[in-house]
Amino acid sequence: MATKERLLVVDGYNVLGAWPQLTQGKSLDEARDALIHRLHDYAGYSGQKIVVVFDAWQSDRRMRTVEKQGALTVVFTQRAETADHYIERLCDEAAPRVNAGRMELRVATSDGVEQTVVMGRGAVRLSSRELMYEMNQARAGANVAAPKTRAARSTIMDSLPEQVRARLEKMRRGE
């Protein structure tokens, strides 16, 4: 059976805004480079592909740039294109693989509206703080396993001994 492809899409400036340790005392370019470097490391630790998207919608950038660095892809949108629009389009393209169970798609952003939109397109939302935590755990050498999806979450019943589960099931049925 084939391994499920894992893709993490990161709203770059949104994550930078929530990560003061990366931005403190640095220019925007330096902070962005620090995030890219950490994401590149994290891609190696976690075994997933990562796409980080930075807005350029207010700049003079006429063309979108996409640069692949191993498992990390860095995208700068073009003028009049937001990172949100690019991320939503990427989620739409991945939807058939997500729906078929061949891909796990997560989007890291703390933008509430964007979280709702990408969840409606099959992605799992990850806040900027959750991403920072995962990356810090990986950097500290902790074992970072693939997060459980909604369908794979365990319940309290799963942690109970078999005989207790059987008794509760009998009680539920009225036996």
Side-chain angles (χ1 to χ4, degrees):
M1 187 164 146
T3 305
K4 186 183 280 192
E5 180 183 358
R6 295 175 61 213
L7 177 62
L8 171 64
V9 182
V10 178
D11 186 342
Y13 288 130
N14 186 280
V15 170
L16 275 179
W19 204 335
Q21 298 91 328
L22 281 183
T23 58
Q24 198 168 31
K26 296 179 183 171
S27 71
L28 185 58
D29 288 342
E30 291 170 327
R32 190 175 53 229
D33 290 344
L35 177 62
I36 290 169
H37 178 74
R38 285 200 178 191
L39 286 169
H40 191 268
D41 285 348
Y42 182 58
Y45 281 114
S46 65
Q48 64 189 322
K49 292 180 182 176
I50 299 176
V51 176
V52 59
V53 184
F54 294 101
D55 282 302
W57 72 278
Q58 290 183 331
S59 74
D60 291 333
R61 185 181 296 267
R62 294 186 193 279
M63 295 181 61
R64 177 186 313 128
T65 59
V66 178
E67 181 183 331
K68 292 189 183 270
Q69 302 173 5
L72 177 69
T73 302
V74 180
V75 177
F76 288 93
T77 64
Q78 62 193 9
R79 180 177 41 197
E81 179 183 37
T82 65
D84 291 352
H85 289 140
Y86 185 89
I87 291 168
E88 291 164 14
R89 201 167 39 253
L90 192 61
C91 289
D92 287 341
E93 291 169 7
R97 289 177 285 166
V98 171
N99 293 334
R102 295 191 318 259
M103 174 187 272
E104 174 188 303
L105 175 62
R106 299 187 307 151
V107 176
T109 182
S110 288
D111 179 333
V113 172
E114 186 64 6
Q115 287 178 348
T116 302
V117 170
V118 298
M119 284 175 26
R121 291 178 171 160
V124 175
R125 70 126 190 107
L126 185 69
S127 73
S128 297
R129 291 177 77 82
E130 289 168 324
L131 175 63
M132 289 168 24
Y133 177 78
E134 278 187 19
M135 290 174 64
N136 286 332
Q137 290 297 102
R139 195 167 200 174
N143 182 15
V144 178
K148 294 180 180 179
T149 60
R150 289 178 291 250
R153 286 192 180 135
S154 62
T155 65
I156 292 173
M157 286 292 281
D158 294 336
S159 64
L160 294 175
E162 182 60 37
Q163 71 259 19
V164 174
R165 283 189 284 179
R167 285 185 68 198
L168 288 171
E169 182 62 23
K170 282 183 178 182
M171 288 172 59
R172 186 182 71 80
R173 289 189 201 150
E175 297 175 7

